[in-house]
Every structure is written in C-alpha cells, then in structure tokens.
Amino acid sequence: MSKSFGGLKVLDDITFEISKAKAFVLLGRSGTGKSVTLKHIIGLVRPDKGHVFVDGREITQLDARALSDVRKHMGFLFQSAALFDSMTVGDNVAFPLRRHTDLPDKEIRERAKQKLADVGLEREFDKMPAELSGGMKKRAALARAMALDPAILLVDEPSAGLDPITASEIDELLVQRKHSGATIVVVTHNIPSARAIGDELAVLHEGHIIAQGTAGDLDRSDDPLVKTFMRSEAGG
Amino acid sequence: MAIVDRVGGSVLSSLEFVGALATFGGRAIVSAFRPPYEVGEIVRHLYQFGLRSMPLILTSGFAIGVVLSMHTRATLARFGAEAMIPAGLAVALVRETGPLTAGLLVSGRVGAGIGAEIGAMRVTEQIDALEANAVDAFKFLAVTRVIACMIAMPLLTVMMDFAGIVGGFTAETAVSGMSWQLYFERSFLYLEFSDLIPATLKTVVFGFLIASVASYLGFTTSRGTEGVGEASTRSVVMASILIILSDVILVKIIFFFYPQVPA
Amino acid sequence: MATPARLAGVGVFVIAGLALFTLGLFMIGDRQMAFAKKFTIYAEFAKITGLQPGAIIRVSGAKAGTVKEIIPPLRPTDKFKVRLEITEDLHPLVRTDSLATIETEGLVGGSFLGISTGSEQAPPAPENSTIAGKEPFAIADLLQQTSETIKKVNETIDDLKGDVQDAVQSISETVDNASQLIDDVSDDVKTMASAGARITQDAADIADSIRNGEGTIGKLVKDDELYRQATAIAKNAEQIARDAREVVEEAKKALNDLQSKNGPVQGLASNFKQTMDDARNAMSGFAENMEALKRNFLFRGFFNNRGYFNLEDISPAQYRQGVLTKDGKRGVVRIWLGAPVLFEPDPDDADGERLTDAGKMRLDSAIEPYLPHLGDSVLVVEGYAQKGTKDEQFLRSHARASAARSYLIGKFHLNPQTIAVMPLGSDSADSPNNTPWDGVALAAFIDRTALATPRK
C-alpha cells in the first residue's frame, strides 16, 4: 500500500496484517505516516496503490453505504480528540448510539453515562467540550469511540499530551477492550504505552516498516534506528 | 510573460473554483433528496441562521426603511406626490432593497459562521470523526446548512421588508402624522403578486449560494487555524459577490416571466 | 440537537415569516380584489393610452377590480379589447350603457380605467359582454363632434330657410290679396323677407366655414374651455334658428288672420302693422346675433388665417393704399359700370335710387367671367358719386355699392364674407379715360395662382 500527499511519498509499499482480538501498535517518529496508515484502515484516506482488507472486505473498493456498514463496527480515537464542539460531552458519546441504534433516548443516555463513567467523566456529561481539559477531551473521545463496543478500535496517540497517570489509565482501558474480544490498533510514539498494550509492534520509518514483532523481538533488533527508538522510553 | 502566466493562472483557478463550487452545490441538491434527512440538524441551523439573525435583520430593515423614506420624501415632495411615499418605499423594499440587503447581511453573519465552523471542524478532525462514525459528513454538515439557509432566507427577507415598512412609517408619521392603517394600506398601492413572490423566492437562491460557498470553503480548509480565518473571510466575500451577480440574472429571469411595463 | 426551546424558537421564526408573507399576499390580493366574487366584461378602445394589465378599475370612482388582459386588434380598423374583472358588488352599477374611459390618476399616477354608472333603464351588463369605451380626449375627435353639431345646426337652418321662403311666399301672396291695405306694411314685409333670406344665408355660410376649417380650428381648439365655447356657439346658432322659426311662424299666423274670410280686415290693419313691427325687431335681433357669431374670435381667427381681412373694417383710405393687393398674391380686375344704366330714382324715396332691371342684367353680365374665381377671392363693390357735397357723395356712393352688393349676393349666393362695399365718393382713380366716375365698379381681387391655372 502506498500513499503520497502533494508529491511527498508518505507510505511506500507497506504491508502488514493485524490479528483479530489482538493489540497492534504502530510505532514511529512524528510525521512518519502513522496516523495516515490508521486512517487508511477506516477508509478516511484512500491509498494511491494497494489494498486494505478489513474482515476480508476490500475497504478501498466499497461504496459509501457498504463502507458505512464497516465503520459501524469500528471505533476511532483521533489524536486531537475531535469532539463535536456543538454538542455536550454526553451528546458526543451518545452520538454513535443515536445514529446507529434504535434504542430509546433514555437507554442511550444511560449507556453514554456508563461509557463516560468508564473513563472517569460521568460528571462532565452536560459540559461542552470547550470546558474540558485536553486529557478529559481525549478520554471523552475514547468513550465515544467505544460507545458502540466496536469490534475494531483504532486509536491515534492515546496518551499524547497526557499526564502519565491518565495515560496509563487509558492504556488499561484499551487492554480491557482487547480482553473483551476487540481488535485494537494503536498509533503511538510512547514506548511504555506500546509495551503495555501491544501484542505485536511495528516500526514505521520513512514510509517503510523497518521492524515488526513483539516488544521482545524489537528489543533484540539489530537495526540501530529501532534500537534507538525502543530505548527512548519517554518517546520523541 | 510572467503577467500572462499569472493572469492565466488566476483565470484558471477562478474557473476551477466555480467548477468545484458547482459540483459541490449540485451534490448538495442531489443528496438533500436522499435519506437520512437530518431534520434535527436542519432545525438547529434554522435556529442559528433564522431566529438568531432576526435582531440584525429587523434593526437593519427598520433603519433602511427610515432612510429610504427620507430620500423618497425629498424626491416625491418636489412633485407634490407625498401620498406616493408609502407605495414607492414598499415597491423599492419588496422588489430589491429587502432581498438584496437581507442576502448580504445573512452572507456576512451566517456565511462567515458556516465557513469558520466547518473549517474548524475540518482542522480539528471533527469531519473525520463524523466519517469514522459512519456519518455522511457532507450531508450532515453542508446539506443541512444549505437547506436551513434556503428556508431562512425568504423568511428573513419578508421580515426585513416588513421592518422597512415600519421604519418608513416611523419616519413618515414623524413628519406628517399619517396613521399606521393608512400608511400600511398605501404601501400596497402599487405592489403586485409579481413583485412580492418572485423577489422573495429569489432569496432562496441567495440562501443556497451563501451556505454552499461557505460550506465548500469550510470543507476545503487546510493549514490549521489560519485556514479557518481565511475560510470565514472568503465565505463572506464570495457569497456577497455571488449574491450580487446572481441577482442580476435572477432579476432578468423575473422580468422575462413578469414583464415590467412602465406605468 | 433540537431542544424544545430551540424548536419553539424556530417555530416562532418560521411562523412569523410565513405570517408576514401571507399578510403581504393578502394585502395585494385585497387590492386586486383577488378574493372577491367577480364578473368579467370587455371594453373596446382604439387607443389604450398607457393602460396596462393590472391597472385598477373604478366604477364611479369606487375601486372595483383590475384590468386582466389587453387583446390587441387583428386589423387596423379593429379596436383593442380590454378584459376587465369587476367585483360583483358593483355589478348593479355597470349597465349595458355604461361607458369605459382611460384616465390618469393624479399628476404622476398611472392610468386607470373608469367606468361610469349606467342608466336606470338599461339592464346590468351581462357576463362577458362588451361595453363601449370612450376614447381618450383628442382634438380630432373633438372636431368630429363639433362638426357633427354644426351639421345639425346647418340642417336646422336649411329647414328654416324653407320656412322663411314659405313665409315670404305667403307674405307676397297676402300682399297681392290685401293690396291696398297692405301697402302700408309692404315695405316692412319686404325688408323682413330680404333680411330673413340674408340671415339664413349667413348662418349657412358660417356653418360651412366651420365645417371646412377644421385645420385652423383644430389649432385654436386645444382645450376644454375652447371646446365648450365652440359648442356654446353652435348651441347659440341653434337657438337663433329656433327664434327665427318662431318669428316666421308668428308672421305666418298674422298673415293667416289677415287673410281669413271672417277677419275684419279693416280693423286688423293696425294689429297687423304691430305684428310686423315685432317681427322686424325680432329679425334684427336675429341679425345682430348672427353678426356677433361671425365676429366671434374663433371664426375671425379662421378667416384671418385664411388670408382674408375683415372687409368691413377696411377704411377707404386703407383700401386706396392697396391693403388687399399688398402681399402681391392677388391681382385686381375692375369692371366699371355707369350710374345711368344701373340706377333709377326710387319712387318711394325722393333722394334714393334703386337698381333698374337693365342695371341688374348689366351686373349679371359684368360678373359672369369672374364667377369661377369668386370662391377664393374678394369682391369689392366700389361706389362712386360726383353730385353734391362730400358727405352726400359718400352716402350716395355707399348706397349704390350696397344695392349692387345685396343684389349680387342674392342672385349668385356669394359668401357675404368675401364681398364688401367701398364708398369712394368722387375719388375715381383708374377710371376709364380718367373721367370722374358716377356709378359703381366691381373690383375683383383674384388669387394670381388661380388665374394662372384656370379651373376646368
């Protein structure tokens, strides 16, 4: 799979496979195309060349409706949280439920509250996103991404800009999701976080995957880049 | 040569813009007829564009009515035709001043808002978030705004017309003490259905243009916060230009269907 | 999300906007009477003078509906057909004899269509019927009307002429029958008869002048005021004609009384004389009226514009200076006629003279060659007298010229406007052999262009 933006080749013929009910962590320095890769999986970005298969379905060839069906089973946590400014936190979390379930409004509110409680934000239900701190936004966005209990959870930089405690709480939540059967794909440059979550790790560098395997495999890698990367515990 | 290149380039990019905008607008119309209809969003935007614009529209309309009344009085008094002030003012307001001013005011207030809001949603990945949530962001954001704007525009125009007549009455009664009943009656002396209906309905086109341009520019925002500001500004500029240009064509079309014979 | 408060706000907004729009539609509809029960009729106009569909219709001033359609004519002779929708409430006023007019509202207002209330006798105009349209005010139409009036006057005058002739006939018969008794009044009768004839002639001439002078009058008659005057004059003429008829009737009656077998002829003589006096007074009043009519500025303007002078206003001095030939358009031809042939002493008047039968024949033959030109030209009967003092010469020359003029007018039906008397006394310049002339001269001022191309 390849992708260029304005003549700049971001991804150059990368190939990887993610196992069901496992956590896959894509590592790499800022601007190496990690987020772009993640957006390919949910069809927000289409490759110039190559294929993306989700559950055996070729995402790049689907029409809007079929793609929409696939997306209903996916959750996506954006790097910038991307909460809808115009809605309360509660409505943000309830949004996927309102769109894609026929549940009564009361039930939806109940579930949204539960999801917010999971990320420790039950009291922020009626607040507007602008009133939240960055970490709270991230957690609220995660609550939204998990609102439909998706089979696949795509997470872009879950712990960026967060204090270590909140970050580890989020990591914990992701691990819980994995244990309840969800496939998790995480993009991060936070190595401890990657170690905590990841069943399989891959390192993206200059458009290529330069290493792939468990955390142990990567630690043992001879590639100097990978070595440097794995040792920079705090991330770059 | 450089100048030729630059002129050619800007002509080309203008054409590109028009083409992209037309495609965008066409898509908006087509997808408006497909479910889901996003009624909740339309209502929310109607509230924003319509009710929240009323203070601006009513105040401006009133002021325009006062000013127009003072001008027409000066002119008509010369012919001893003060009795024509209400009718002349109403014709001017209903046929052109009301629709065009309302269009420009709304393009300023609503166009800027749409451009900035959608632009911000673009740069903060909210549009991606919508898509990721299996929501047709184009429809959810653009189409609903276009529809709401198309509904709000004629209603605001009628309010502007009315506020203008009230303003004209205020100015008139201050000078001549004319009663509201007589003034209002006389306002409709020379108005025809062919004045009120096409002039009011043409603002639906203004509404479409405002929301389409602003949404398009919002959707195509890049370069972060700076891009949002630019989307907002360009929305107002583009929408205003398009309103005035389209008005020329619309008036011509209206004249084609309702020929105006000089009395 | 659509919260209840927000929904309510949007509801208020939408309802307010729609309500105002509906109010506007209603106000316009109300003005156009869109919601009232209506009926359709048509009106026809040769010219629509800026009327346009949507114009307001007023029935006797009340707002009644709008002009729906203006259907152009298919041929030049056809008229514009205007379709009108009028509110049923005012139907009772719109009768088959109602008139539609195109009027203008105020100084700068648009055209509207006015419909006059019909008469009680006429039935209401039925649906889809056509009522008459009164053409917008135009000078040509005004002249048409004026000339129709004049025609009517003329007809009346023609009738009158017959009556006068009858009367004259009766009078002369009576004169024969009543011989001696009537001798006392015969002069009056004759005077009256000839005055009557002349008056009738004058009236007819004026009517003719008006009829032929549309162009000139058109220039003068530019507004209602003048139109009213013209109509008043025409009416006046009719009145005069009626008066004249009455006088003649009275004269006839008097004569009948006189002739009746039972009538005490002897005793009636004084009565009859009284009646005749009355009749003569009335006739002279009539003549004065006619004279006033001739001098009315309208017609005077007409004659002046046609290049005529008011011949009676020309003094002998002006005449001698050549006012009639000054512009060079006319040439003068004189026929000199001597008094011995023309006149004989009047047996009734010691100093007076009257035309002899030979004199009349001489006048006939003298004027004959010029008759074809007389319509366009001016004939002046110059009178000359050599006997007596200056004032006697003047009076005699005037009497001679007048006698000749009256004879010529009576015989050849000349237009009195174009034949004048010119008492020149003893001043007989240009006479044959430059002898001092005694008698008259017929001076024909003839248009040179007419002479150059004689009529066939």
Side-chain angles (χ1 to χ4, degrees):
Chain A
M1 181 184 74
S2 302
K3 177 72 187 178
S4 305
F5 289 106
L8 184 74
K9 204 156 205 178
V10 178
L11 299 176
D12 187 6
D13 195 19
I14 62 166
T15 304
F16 58 92
E17 201 169 312
I18 300 160
S19 317
K20 208 168 186 173
K22 293 276 166 139
F24 181 86
V25 178
L26 193 57
L27 291 163
R29 286 160 66 179
S30 302
T32 48
K34 305 185 299 285
S35 296
V36 171
T37 311
L38 203 58
K39 284 179 179 174
H40 273 97
I41 298 172
I42 200 165
L44 285 176
V45 179
R46 292 183 185 236
D48 298 335
K49 204 168 72 184
H51 310 281
V52 178
F53 292 95
V54 175
D55 266 348
R57 302 180 76 178
E58 165 46 311
I59 294 266
T60 58
Q61 301 299 321
L62 294 179
D63 65 11
R65 180 166 302 196
L67 182 61
S68 177
D69 283 341
V70 173
R71 282 172 176 172
K72 281 176 196 167
H73 302 290
M74 295 174 141
F76 196 115
L77 172 64
F78 287 88
Q79 192 173 355
S80 57
L83 290 175
F84 304 131
D85 299 326
S86 56
M87 305 175 192
T88 63
V89 174
D91 284 335
N92 260 289
V93 178
F95 186 78
L97 295 163
R98 289 208 170 102
R99 305 289 305 186
H100 303 303
T101 66
D102 295 327
L103 297 173
D105 199 59
K106 203 177 160 197
E107 174 90 29
I108 287 173
R109 288 174 67 84
E110 280 306 313
R111 286 208 190 185
K113 270 211 169 94
Q114 182 54 49
K115 294 290 169 196
L116 276 174
D118 288 348
V119 295
L121 288 173
E122 63 271 34
R123 280 180 305 165
E124 273 68 34
F125 189 88
D126 288 321
K127 285 189 176 162
M128 296 305 283
E131 298 170 60
L132 301 187
S133 71
M136 290 159 102
K137 278 183 190 163
K138 204 55 153 295
R139 283 186 281 158
L142 183 62
R144 184 178 68 188
M146 298 195 301
L148 286 169
D149 296 324
I152 300 165
L153 190 57
L154 308 174
V155 185
D156 193 356
E157 303 282 10
S159 47
L162 298 186
D163 64 278
I165 297 166
T166 313
S168 64
E169 275 172 13
I170 286 179
D171 291 347
E172 187 53 36
L173 269 169
L174 293 175
V175 172
Q176 275 177 26
R177 283 297 309 149
K178 181 179 74 179
H179 290 153
S180 54
T183 309
I184 315 260
V185 183
V186 181
V187 161
T188 188
H189 50 247
N190 187 325
I191 304 302
S193 172
R195 287 181 195 280
I197 309 165
D199 295 317
E200 191 169 12
L201 285 69
V203 179
L204 194 60
H205 182 73
E206 291 181 347
H208 301 280
I209 291 181
I210 52 169
Q212 193 168 357
T214 61
D217 293 340
L218 294 191
D219 282 337
R220 287 187 294 276
S221 169
D222 295 333
D223 192 310
L225 267 169
V226 178
K227 266 187 189 162
T228 323
F229 201 79
M230 290 308 285
R231 275 189 216 122
S232 60
E233 294 287 301
Chain B
M1 275 298 132
I3 289 173
V4 174
D5 274 358
R6 275 174 57 185
V7 169
S10 70
V11 166
L12 211 65
S13 70
S14 306
L15 289 176
E16 230 176 88
F17 175 78
V18 171
L21 187 65
T23 315
F24 189 88
R27 226 180 107 198
I29 292 170
V30 171
S31 68
F33 291 99
R34 280 205 301 257
Y37 298 109
E38 311 287 5
V39 177
E41 279 298 293
I42 294 176
V43 168
R44 187 171 80 86
H45 297 318
L46 260 182
Y47 179 83
Q48 282 294 334
F49 305 164
L51 198 71
R52 300 286 298 274
S53 296
M54 271 173 69
L56 170 73
I57 289 289
L58 293 179
T59 318
S60 315
F62 184 86
I64 288 171
V66 171
V67 173
L68 275 183
S69 173
M70 293 194 292
H71 279 303
T72 39
R73 165 164 280 279
T75 312
L76 291 178
R78 207 174 294 166
F79 301 107
E82 284 102 330
M84 304 255 303
I85 294 172
L89 180 84
V91 167
L93 268 173
V94 168
R95 274 197 192 161
E96 198 50 69
T97 314
L100 191 63
T101 319
L104 293 175
L105 286 173
V106 170
S107 84
R109 203 193 97 85
V110 175
I114 295 175
E117 197 180 356
I118 297 185
M121 290 182 82
R122 165 61 76 201
V123 299
T124 56
E125 294 185 303
Q126 289 181 53
I127 290 176
D128 282 344
L130 279 173
E131 289 286 337
N133 275 296
V135 171
D136 184 347
F138 174 76
K139 181 161 208 178
F140 190 78
L141 298 176
V143 175
T144 54
R145 280 172 169 80
V146 170
I147 292 173
C149 206
M150 285 167 76
I151 296 173
M153 237 358 271
L155 297 174
L156 288 171
T157 302
V158 173
M159 288 176 191
M160 177 133 212
D161 293 347
F162 188 76
I165 290 174
V166 174
F169 163 71
T170 310
E172 178 62 31
T173 199
V175 179
S176 70
M178 192 186 279
S179 79
W180 164 247
Q181 202 183 354
L182 180 63
Y183 188 91
F184 194 61
E185 187 90 13
R186 282 200 182 158
S187 291
F188 289 88
L189 196 58
Y190 292 118
L191 278 179
E192 304 290 340
F193 287 126
S194 60
D195 292 323
L196 179 63
I197 298 171
T200 306
L201 291 188
K202 80 178 176 189
T203 60
V204 172
V205 177
F206 294 170
F208 172 78
L209 288 171
I210 294 168
S212 301
V213 171
S215 300
Y216 170 76
L217 291 170
F219 259 92
T220 50
T221 302
S222 54
R223 298 191 293 115
T225 328
E226 192 197 340
V228 174
E230 202 191 294
S232 173
T233 313
R234 284 189 73 199
S235 294
V236 179
V237 174
M238 287 293 174
S240 304
I241 290 174
L242 284 175
I243 282 175
I244 292 168
L245 291 181
S246 70
D247 195 35
V248 175
I249 298 163
L250 287 169
V251 168
K252 195 73 206 165
I253 292 171
I254 291 170
F255 277 10
F256 179 77
F257 285 109
Y258 301 94
Q260 308 279 311
V261 191
Chain C
M1 290 295 113
T3 62
R6 206 170 258 176
L7 270 175
V10 171
V12 167
F13 169 69
V14 172
I15 289 169
L18 287 177
L20 288 177
F21 189 64
T22 314
L23 177 66
L25 290 180
F26 187 80
M27 289 297 291
I28 296 171
D30 190 41
R31 184 177 59 74
Q32 292 190 346
M33 311 252 165
F35 309 118
K37 196 160 178 274
K38 280 167 299 204
F39 70 102
T40 301
I41 56 168
Y42 294 87
E44 287 186 330
F45 295 97
K47 280 180 291 206
I48 54 162
T49 327
L51 192 73
Q52 62 186 80
I56 289 179
I57 299 169
R58 291 184 186 278
V59 172
S60 303
K63 207 166 74 176
T66 47
V67 171
K68 283 291 151 192
E69 192 185 2
I70 294 172
I71 307 156
L74 296 173
R75 279 184 297 274
T77 49
D78 287 356
K79 290 182 168 182
F80 285 92
K81 213 166 180 187
V82 181
R83 185 156 66 86
L84 316 171
E85 267 190 8
I86 299 172
T87 169
E88 194 61 50
D89 301 347
L90 292 167
H91 202 157
L93 295 185
V94 183
R95 302 295 173 114
T96 48
D97 61 350
S98 283
L99 261 186
T101 41
I102 298 170
E103 295 171 45
T104 308
E105 204 161 17
L107 185 63
V108 288
S111 293
F112 72 94
L113 196 126
I115 295 179
S116 66
T117 309
S119 62
E120 190 63 44
Q121 298 80 27
E127 180 87 25
N128 292 324
S129 63
T130 302
I131 60 169
K134 192 178 149 208
E135 296 302 333
F137 177 83
I139 285 168
D141 304 334
L142 169 71
L143 282 171
Q144 176 69 25
Q145 281 185 10
T146 312
S147 87
E148 266 164 28
T149 315
I150 299 288
K151 202 167 135 200
K152 221 158 78 185
V153 173
N154 213 23
E155 279 164 8
T156 317
I157 287 169
D158 280 346
D159 289 353
L160 180 64
K161 198 154 63 178
D163 287 350
V164 170
Q165 271 161 5
D166 286 353
V168 171
Q169 187 70 32
S170 311
I171 289 165
S172 41
E173 278 167 16
T174 312
V175 169
D176 290 347
N177 292 343
S179 62
Q180 202 57 40
L181 265 177
I182 312 267
D183 270 358
D184 291 345
V185 292
S186 72
D187 269 1
D188 287 337
V189 173
K190 275 189 212 160
T191 318
M192 200 178 85
S194 77
R198 180 173 165 207
I199 287 158
T200 334
Q201 186 58 43
D202 282 1
D205 290 342
I206 289 167
D208 270 354
S209 308
I210 295 170
R211 204 166 44 218
N212 299 332
E214 278 176 12
T216 314
I217 292 182
K219 267 183 242 157
L220 292 165
V221 184
K222 284 242 159 79
D223 60 21
D224 268 352
E225 185 46 40
L226 283 170
Y227 168 64
R228 268 195 289 281
Q229 285 194 15
T231 326
I233 288 162
K235 283 219 180 85
N236 200 18
E238 273 182 286
Q239 182 60 41
I240 289 166
R242 262 200 300 281
D243 290 351
R245 200 194 294 270
E246 255 172 47
V247 169
V248 171
E249 283 301 317
E250 222 169 290
K252 261 199 215 165
K253 206 171 138 235
L255 288 168
N256 282 341
D257 284 351
L258 195 66
Q259 283 172 317
S260 69
K261 286 173 188 156
N262 304 337
V265 167
Q266 202 69 29
L268 252 179
S270 61
N271 280 350
F272 181 65
K273 187 144 172 63
Q274 182 59 46
T275 309
M276 278 299 165
D277 280 346
D278 291 351
R280 193 177 49 209
N281 287 341
M283 273 297 185
S284 77
F286 179 45
E288 272 167 28
N289 278 337
M290 269 302 171
E291 206 57 41
L293 190 59
K294 279 196 289 184
R295 286 167 183 277
N296 183 284
F297 74 99
L298 263 180
F299 306 119
R300 199 171 61 213
F302 161 67
F303 285 114
N304 286 345
N305 284 348
R306 287 273 292 249
Y308 289 105
F309 297 82
N310 197 338
L311 293 171
E312 287 162 43
D313 293 344
I314 300 174
S315 69
Q318 286 171 325
Y319 182 72
R320 274 298 179 210
Q321 283 159 15
V323 285
L324 289 177
T325 50
K326 206 161 61 181
D327 60 2
K329 264 162 66 183
R330 298 193 190 90
V332 61
V333 182
R334 275 197 183 78
I335 300 135
W336 297 86
L337 302 167
V341 188
L342 295 178
F343 299 103
E344 62 185 5
D346 191 337
D348 300 333
D349 184 350
D351 298 327
E353 288 176 331
R354 65 178 188 192
L355 282 170
T356 61
D357 288 344
K360 289 174 185 172
M361 281 167 65
R362 181 74 191 89
L363 281 171
D364 292 351
S365 64
I367 201 161
E368 204 176 49
Y370 301 101
L371 286 176
H373 302 297
L374 288 180
D376 301 330
S377 47
V378 178
L379 191 68
V380 177
V381 184
E382 297 169 350
Y384 299 98
Q386 303 296 336
K387 211 168 70 181
T389 60
K390 279 278 174 198
D391 55 336
E392 279 170 358
Q393 287 169 357
F394 178 82
L395 286 173
R396 186 168 292 274
S397 65
H398 191 278
R400 284 175 172 170
S402 297
R405 174 181 183 265
S406 298
Y407 170 74
L408 288 170
I409 289 174
K411 172 98 185 195
F412 297 102
H413 302 291
L414 301 179
N415 183 348
Q417 291 283 345
T418 63
I419 176 162
V421 292
M422 190 53 61
L424 293 172
S426 59
D427 174 20
S428 56
D430 301 334
S431 65
N433 308 322
N434 280 331
T435 50
W437 198 258
D438 206 29
V440 298
L442 298 182
F445 292 84
I446 298 172
D447 201 322
R448 287 185 199 281
T449 53
L451 277 177
T453 53
R455 291 177 197 173
K456 284 176 187 169

